[in-house]
Each structure stands twice: as structure tokens, then as C-alpha cells.
Amino acid sequence: TQLGLISPICRLTEFQNQPSITKRPPNLLLTRYLSSCISRDATPDQFIMDEFIKYDEDPQCILRLVNSELQDSYSAMFCLTLECYIRNISLDNFSPNIFGSPVKWILSNENRFQSLDLWHYDNANFVGIENKRSQFNKVRIIRFHYCSTAFVTNFLNALKAVAFTIDTIIFDNIQFDEQCSILFINYLQSATLFSSLKNMAFLSCSCTSMPFRNLAQHCFQTSEKLESFTADNCDIDVCDMLLEISESENKIQHVSVRKNFGKTVISPNETIISNTILTVDAGECEWTEDSFISFISAICRRLRRSPLALIIDRTTIEVEWSEIFERLPIESYMPILTELNISWNKFDDRAF
């Protein structure tokens, strides 16, 4: 019925005489910022003016603010929330002394942002962060890049009582100490912020108080709604990690363990890939011959109903691929894989 009404509606004159879409006014963001400063009797910040001039010349969906200390972030953040293009805000050691104020505008106030990236923070002042958020705030992704453990710990403590959720958290080059590790694991179970977490990623991370594998194990075991788990370049054994995931009760669908190693040999009676997993990315890993053969065999020896995509590009193995193919018990394999990516692997002549 609704589709049938489209044609009569389109014939109405008020819909036919709509003005053409105009271009973005020049210096829009800068003008808004200066107007806000004037209305608040505040002095415009030269760094913000320069950044907004750059943005007005070439509007992008990502805005990165780097190494500047503001006295007041109200005017700058107010104007950014009005921008229709910006989807990601990246703060690179930006205004750590009033850090809580811009974060409040990003995580709690009405805006069109979707993600927040935090770069190179050693510590910050978290005063100003609010526990509630606007229903028109859609920020669901938080990423930490090269931040100190103290900063991550304080950030988690500052958001432990918030009444909103995110669905993705990413740690990039973070070294977890004992306090931060335990805190994060506890908050995964108790904090509202992580109650709907679907995606968790660790990129080039390490742990000082325990093997990183143990931290990762606690993380995906305490996140019941997790759909995607990444632990790239974290010095873990691929087989051990996949065995831990398969033994857990969660329903992870996508696993990435790139740039790690494989030394563990999987026994014939062990299940390495649970039926819920749809994608395994083990590219750029270093393998022993026995471990790699047991890995492929463990995947292909059991039937499953769900499709499975396996990525093993740029693989490093201690023997030639032809020797691997000769040792694989292909006659006992099941038609499991629906996608296989073996790009950038150097095959010798005998492999073909």
C-alpha cells in the first residue's frame, strides 16, 4: 500500500519545486567556532582555528586533534557536534589537563560521531565525564593507541559507572600491568559500558603480570555477547588460542590471530574450531611443520554445518610447501572450507 502511494505523492507540486541542494558554505566550522567564542566572551585558540580552516578546505569523516592544550574546550567541541560529515574523532595527547570535557562531548552529548580514538596519552584529567548519554549519541567504538597502562586504568575507572554501552573496544600497542588486567577483566563482567560488547581486539599488546594468552582467555570467557575476537601480533600460540576459544561457551564468529606463531601439535581428538566460528585469520604466522599439519588436519577432519573461511596468507613454515602437501592426510579430510586465502605464499615447483 505504501509503495502504491509513492507515485501520487511525487506528482504533488510542493515536491517537484524543491530548491536544489547547495554546497557547503565556506569556512562554516571556523565561523561557528568564532561565533561561539564571541557569545561566551572567550578568546579563540589559534591551534583550533588552524585545524578548522584545514577542515573547511577539505571536509573529512575523520578529524584528528594533536598535541595542544586548551583552557576551555566548550566552543570547539560544540561546533564539532554540529558537523554532519565527521564520524570519527581522534585525540592525540590533546588537552590532557581537561581531557574529561571533550570526552563528555564525544561520548555523552548529541552528535553524529561513531568512534573515538585516543593516541599517546600518558595520563589525563578525567573530571567532567558524565554517566549518561543523549539518545542521539551513537559512539560505539573506542580505540586506544600507544597509551600508557596508567591512562587505560584511569579511563576504565572513570567510565565504570556510566549508564551507556559500546560494542567495540580496540587496544593497539598497550602493555597491560597486573592492576589494569584485573580491572579490565572485572569490568567486563560488571560494568554497563561492556554489557553489549561484540568486538574486542588486541593489536601488538603484551601483559607484564601473566602470559597474554591468560588475559585473552579471561576476556572472551567473560564477554557472553562477543562475536569477533582479535589478538594480532601478541606473541601467542595460534593453536593454543583457538583451543581455548573452542572450549569456551561464547559464540564468537570471527577470530584473528595474525602475526603470531604455531608450535603446539593438536591431537586427533581435540576440536580446534567450534561450530559458531565462521572466519579464522591466521595470516603472517610462523609455524613448525608438525604444528601446521595438525592445525589443517584438526580443521578438516570434522564435518560442520556452518561455512568456514580460512586465511593463511604470507605463512612462514620451516619446510617447503611440497613437503607439507605430501604429509597432509588429504584422503581423510572433509569438505569443510568454503573460502581459502593462501595469497603471498611461496610455493616450490613440486607443490603444484
Side-chain angles (χ1 to χ4, degrees):
T1 303
Q2 292 178 345
L3 291 176
L5 295 175
I6 292 178
S7 181
I9 289 175
C10 293
R11 286 196 292 267
L12 296 177
T13 56
E14 53 264 37
F15 286 94
Q16 295 176 352
N17 298 326
Q18 289 295 309
S20 59
I21 298 176
T22 58
K23 294 183 179 180
R24 173 188 170 89
N27 301 317
L28 178 61
L29 182 56
L30 177 62
T31 302
R32 283 173 172 169
Y33 173 64
L34 295 176
S35 300
S36 178
C37 289
I38 292 172
S39 67
R40 301 183 68 248
D41 195 22
T43 303
D45 184 89
Q46 187 61 49
F47 170 80
I48 294 297
M49 292 175 61
D50 293 340
E51 291 299 314
F52 285 2
I53 290 173
K54 294 177 185 177
Y55 180 85
D56 281 328
E57 293 174 350
D58 184 21
Q60 301 287 332
C61 63
I62 298 175
L63 180 68
R64 186 166 182 171
L65 301 175
V66 183
N67 292 329
S68 180
E69 189 63 67
L70 300 185
Q71 299 302 317
D72 180 13
S73 66
Y74 182 95
S75 295
M77 298 309 301
F78 169 72
C79 297
L80 289 177
T81 60
L82 300 177
E83 279 298 315
C84 61
Y85 293 110
I86 300 175
R87 294 295 178 266
N88 169 266
I89 294 288
S90 293
L91 304 180
D92 191 338
N93 199 30
F94 176 75
S95 294
N97 290 336
I98 57 168
F99 177 80
S101 177
V103 168
K104 179 198 73 171
W105 283 93
I106 298 169
L107 294 182
S108 298
N109 291 6
E110 178 180 348
N111 57 60
R112 302 189 184 187
F113 310 146
Q114 295 179 353
S115 60
L116 168 64
D117 282 55
L118 303 171
W119 293 79
H120 303 113
Y121 278 98
D122 289 329
N123 217 326
N125 182 356
F126 293 86
V127 175
I129 292 179
E130 294 185 355
N131 291 338
K132 296 182 179 180
R133 77 167 11 161
S134 166
Q135 62 177 328
F136 300 105
N137 186 296
K138 304 300 181 183
V139 177
R140 297 291 185 269
I141 304 172
I142 299 178
R143 305 181 184 92
F144 298 88
H145 307 270
Y146 299 90
C147 295
S148 70
T149 306
F151 174 81
V152 176
T153 300
N154 292 333
F155 188 93
L156 294 174
N157 280 324
L159 271 66
K160 66 180 179 182
V162 298
F164 54 85
T165 64
I166 61 174
D167 59 32
T168 302
I169 189 165
I170 299 173
F171 299 98
D172 177 15
N173 277 272
I174 304 297
Q175 187 178 48
F176 292 85
D177 61 12
E178 183 176 7
Q179 180 185 7
C180 187
S181 302
I182 295 175
L183 195 69
F184 182 54
I185 294 170
N186 290 338
Y187 285 167
L188 284 175
Q189 304 174 69
S190 60
T192 302
L193 182 69
F194 300 123
S195 59
S196 299
L197 197 65
K198 295 181 179 180
N199 310 294
M200 186 187 307
F202 299 91
L203 311 175
S204 302
C205 293
S206 61
C207 189
T208 60
S209 60
M210 65 180 81
F212 184 83
R213 169 191 167 188
N214 293 357
L215 172 61
Q217 179 183 357
H218 286 300
C219 288
F220 59 69
Q221 286 181 344
T222 54
S223 303
E224 298 178 353
K225 298 181 181 180
L226 206 61
E227 297 178 359
S228 173
F229 182 79
T230 298
D232 291 351
N233 194 26
C234 292
D235 195 32
I236 55 175
D237 190 297
V238 172
C239 297
D240 287 340
M241 182 58 63
L242 291 175
L243 285 170
E244 296 287 355
I245 294 175
S246 66
E247 292 172 0
S248 65
E249 297 181 356
N250 54 35
K251 298 181 179 180
I252 296 177
Q253 298 179 5
H254 307 284
V255 179
S256 177
V257 284
R258 297 183 67 87
K259 297 183 179 181
N260 288 296
F261 62 87
K263 295 181 180 179
T264 299
V265 177
I266 305 165
S267 63
N269 60 342
E270 290 181 308
T271 300
I272 192 172
I273 304 293
S274 63
N275 288 325
T276 62
I277 294 179
L278 304 178
T279 305
V280 176
D281 187 349
E284 299 182 85
C285 291
E286 297 183 4
W287 296 85
T288 64
E289 180 182 3
D290 290 338
S291 178
F292 185 76
I293 291 174
S294 70
F295 169 72
I296 298 297
S297 299
I299 292 175
C300 297
R301 71 163 59 100
R302 287 182 174 83
L303 282 174
R304 53 181 282 140
R305 296 181 178 179
S306 304
L308 178 62
L310 177 62
I311 302 171
I312 48 175
D313 61 304
R314 302 177 187 269
T315 299
T316 302
I317 310 178
E318 58 188 11
V319 297
E320 297 289 349
W321 275 90
S322 59
E323 298 181 42
I324 297 294
F325 291 148
E326 288 176 354
R327 289 192 55 190
L328 289 175
I330 299 176
E331 64 280 355
S332 63
Y333 285 174
M334 303 292 183
I336 303 300
L337 299 178
T338 51
E339 293 183 39
L340 176 63
N341 183 347
I342 53 175
S343 305
W344 294 96
N345 287 311
K346 188 177 181 179
F347 294 108
D348 54 305
D349 295 338
R350 292 175 57 212
F352 293 96

